[in-house]
Each structure stands twice: as structure tokens, then as C-alpha cells.
Amino acid sequence: MKITDVLKSDKLTLSFEVFPPKTESSFESVRLAVEEIAKLRPSFMSVTYGAGGGTSKYTLEISKNIKALHGVPTLAHLTCVSSTRATVKEKILEIRKAGIENIMALRGDIPANLLNADRSGWDYKHATDLIFELKSENPDFCIGGACYPEIHPESQNQKEDIKYLKEKVDAGCEFLTTQMFFDNNLLYNFLYKIREAGVTVPIIPGIMPITNANQVSRAIQLSGSFMPQRFKSLVDKFGSDPDAMKQAGIAYATDQIIDLYANGINGVHVYSMNKPDVAAKIQANLSDILGK
Ligand code: FAD
């Protein structure tokens, strides 16, 4: 099933994200965690792509399992970084063979050792280049991309970021999943601005349940997200008690999802980070709303 069809539901739909193992030896534990999440029957599951190359080969393997063994619609990520036209063609053949219809096309984070490298020879410089090629050559695939309510860290300003976002959509991107955010008002402001700029595709907010205090600094470092005072107080109060912090973080994420749905956003993506217990708890918290 295509993500654009999933998003036509007038009910709340929850999707969960998983990431592939970094090494062969951790494959089995990741496979089991992914299986537990798939058993929750989310509206779809997305599988990230290790742009550095190390984990990229497992993205397809995990994606195939989700689709074949559990029948859950699957969104396989693919990045420009570490890809060439030839490797993308190979990947697409495999994705097609596995019956997966959805691809999340990203630029990927530039590895530290390549930050100052000459990238003029790269086949794809921006996600838009990859999206344009994927959609032109595979019009039957459903292609998604990323967007940033708090601006991509490399952008000069939001106007510029939204200008490139519009180009991404014009290139064939059919839905956008957001970077994590902890204040829904940032998302509502962003939606207003992108709709005004003519970006009309569905936006799937990405919600990250913070379940331990260490995750907070890592999340901010990765995403540059603003931490509202309400969230900071919660970390101050519960950060040193792992069980309480987990419960409070899941409650905060649940609250964000309820507010999004109450404000007309039906499709929400949860950065469940290979944690079946967190995914299950969020789903249980929303059981009546989801009708599950
Ligand atoms: P782009 O859309 O290419 O944008 C990157 C920057 O370039 C932005 O500042 C943009 O404004 C600017 N830009 C765009 N087009 C142009 C242009 N034509 N000229 C000049 N500037 C331009 N990373 C992974 O490695 N693997 C994953 O699986 C993964 N999944 C993700 C899922 C989501 C939902 C999100 C939000 C992020 C994900 N990331 C992943 C991280 C992502 O790869 C990074 O945030 C990366 O830095 C940007 O990727 P992008 O696709 O948004 O890039």
C-alpha cells in the first residue's frame, strides 16, 4: 500500500520508524525488535538508511521482512550520500522485487570526513536530485522526503529552506515527514508558511518519545530542536529516575500526538527507535482514539 493512500484515512494513523543494525552480530536483536513493532500493526513502518554505507545493506533486508512476514506497508529510506546512479538502480530493482512501493529519498548527513570534500562529482547533491530521478524513472513508486519545521541546520533562513522544499515537491515528492519537534506550535507555524508557499502535499509530523535523560542532549544535537520549558521541567524532575522518565516521556509524546490529531493532522510518525515497548505504550495510550 502506498503511503499517500494510508494518509487518506480520516482516522488517526500511527507509523513507526526503525533503524537497521550497525553490525552483523546485532542483526538478530534488531530483527526481533522490528518484529515486535510490526505485530502492533502500525499504518506503516519506515526503515532508515545508514548513509555512511555501514548499515545500508540491512535496510532492504529489514524492509523485506516487515513487508513479507507481517504485511505492514513499508517505507524504505535511501540517501544520496554513499549512492551513485548505478547503486540506486540496483537498489530500486531489489525494492521493486520485494513488493515495496514507498521510498523515503534523503540527502543523508554528510560524514564528518567528507564535509570539506569536493562534492561536485557526486551523482546526487540534494534530495531533490534523487527524487526527480526516482519519480521520472519509476512513476509507480510513492516517494517521500524530509522537512524541517525549525529549519534545516545548513539553511541560511526559513524562506530559503521552504523555497528548496517547494522544488523537492515539484520534483515528485508526494509526502513529507518532519524532523522531530517538541512544541506543536512550531509545526502549526511551519504548516502555515509552507501552504502559503504552495507546498500542498501531506505533511507527517515526526514525534520522538524521549525516554531517558541522555537522549535529550543527543536529540537536540542531531535536530537542533527547541525544548519548551514544560519539557525541560519534566527532564529536571524525572531525569534521574529511568522508569519515571520513560513514563513521562511517553506521556509527553502521546500528548503531542493527541494535540496534532485534535488540530486536524491524521497521520503521525513515531521515531520509535527499535523500542517495541515504547511503540506499544504509545499505541495503548491512544487505543480508543485509534479504535484498536
Ligand atoms: P536536502 O533536501 O537535500 O536539504 C539539505 C540542505 O540543502 C537544506 O539546508 C536545504 O535547504 C538545502 N538545499 C536543498 N536543495 C538545495 C539546492 N538545490 N541548492 C542549495 N541548497 C539546497 N539520514 C540518513 O542518513 N538516513 C536516514 O534514513 C534518514 N532519515 C531521515 C528521515 C527524516 C524524516 C528526516 C527529517 C531526516 C532523516 N535523515 C536521515 C537525516 C537527513 O539525511 C539529514 O537531515 C540531511 O542533512 C538532510 O537531508 P534532506 O533529505 O532533508 O536534504
Side-chain angles (χ1 to χ4, degrees):
M1 189 175 194
K2 291 188 177 155
I3 306 300
T4 42
D5 290 328
V6 169
L7 296 171
K8 285 180 184 152
S9 169
D10 55 2
K11 297 231 167 71
L12 174 64
T13 62
L14 277 193
S15 50
F16 294 126
E17 182 156 303
V18 294
F19 56 86
K22 290 198 169 49
T23 57
E24 180 87 54
S25 60
S26 51
F27 185 86
E28 189 55 14
S29 63
V30 171
R31 190 188 66 75
L32 291 173
V34 169
E35 192 158 303
E36 287 307 304
I37 295 177
K39 283 184 193 158
L40 298 169
R41 318 272 330 142
S43 64
F44 70 87
M45 285 173 73
S46 74
V47 187
T48 65
Y49 189 86
T55 64
S56 57
K57 66 175 171 171
Y58 298 118
T59 297
L60 196 62
E61 216 165 327
I62 298 278
S63 302
K64 275 185 196 167
N65 279 352
I66 295 171
K67 177 77 175 56
L69 304 178
H70 304 283
V72 173
T74 309
L75 171 61
H77 292 206
L78 188 60
T79 63
C80 303
V81 173
S82 81
S83 293
T84 63
R85 289 223 154 77
T87 59
V88 164
K89 282 201 169 32
E90 273 171 35
K91 286 255 151 48
I92 294 303
L93 278 179
E94 284 184 74
I95 289 173
R96 189 180 283 289
K97 214 166 129 198
I100 295 166
E101 300 168 278
N102 306 290
I103 299 173
M104 182 73 165
L106 304 137
R107 187 197 65 184
D109 281 320
I110 314 280
N113 61 331
L114 296 179
L115 273 176
N116 297 317
D118 174 14
R119 290 181 233 150
S120 56
W122 288 18
D123 283 348
Y124 312 99
K125 286 184 196 58
H126 293 286
T128 299
D129 305 330
L130 179 60
I131 289 167
F132 183 76
E133 186 180 292
L134 287 176
K135 198 62 197 174
S136 323
E137 295 182 3
N138 308 274
D140 54 325
F141 273 109
C142 175
I143 311 288
C147 65
Y148 303 82
E150 296 175 74
I151 312 179
H152 185 271
E154 291 165 33
S155 288
Q156 297 297 321
N157 54 56
Q158 194 167 43
K159 200 169 171 196
E160 183 194 274
D161 212 23
I162 292 177
K163 182 185 109 176
Y164 290 129
L165 191 63
K166 173 80 167 65
E167 286 180 11
K168 192 183 278 195
V169 171
D170 291 345
C173 178
E174 292 156 275
F175 68 92
L176 291 158
T177 306
T178 76
Q179 179 61 283
M180 67 183 88
F181 57 89
F182 299 94
D183 177 348
N184 286 2
N185 286 326
L186 292 165
L187 191 268
Y188 301 138
N189 289 340
F190 176 69
L191 280 179
Y192 178 80
K193 287 181 185 159
I194 62 168
R195 297 307 186 213
E196 205 179 26
V199 174
T200 55
V201 295
I203 306 295
I204 310 178
I207 297 297
M208 165 80 92
I210 298 285
T211 53
N212 67 68
N214 297 336
Q215 224 183 324
V216 178
S217 50
R218 190 166 151 67
I220 298 175
Q221 195 194 340
L222 277 177
S223 65
S225 304
F226 164 71
M227 289 285 162
Q229 189 52 48
R230 197 166 79 83
F231 189 81
K232 284 187 196 155
S233 307
L234 182 150
V235 179
D236 283 349
K237 178 80 179 167
F238 303 115
S240 55
D241 178 339
D243 290 342
M245 183 62 228
K246 191 170 182 179
Q247 190 168 45
I250 289 172
Y252 190 93
T254 305
D255 195 39
Q256 273 192 285
I257 296 171
I258 292 172
D259 180 69
L260 289 166
Y261 186 48
N263 281 285
I265 294 166
N266 296 352
V268 177
H269 191 58
V270 180
Y271 292 114
S272 48
M273 311 295 288
N274 297 0
K275 292 179 186 155
D277 55 334
V278 173
K281 190 73 194 156
I282 289 194
Q283 189 165 292
N285 285 350
L286 297 163
S287 57
D288 287 338
I289 295 173
L290 287 163
K292 287 196 181 190

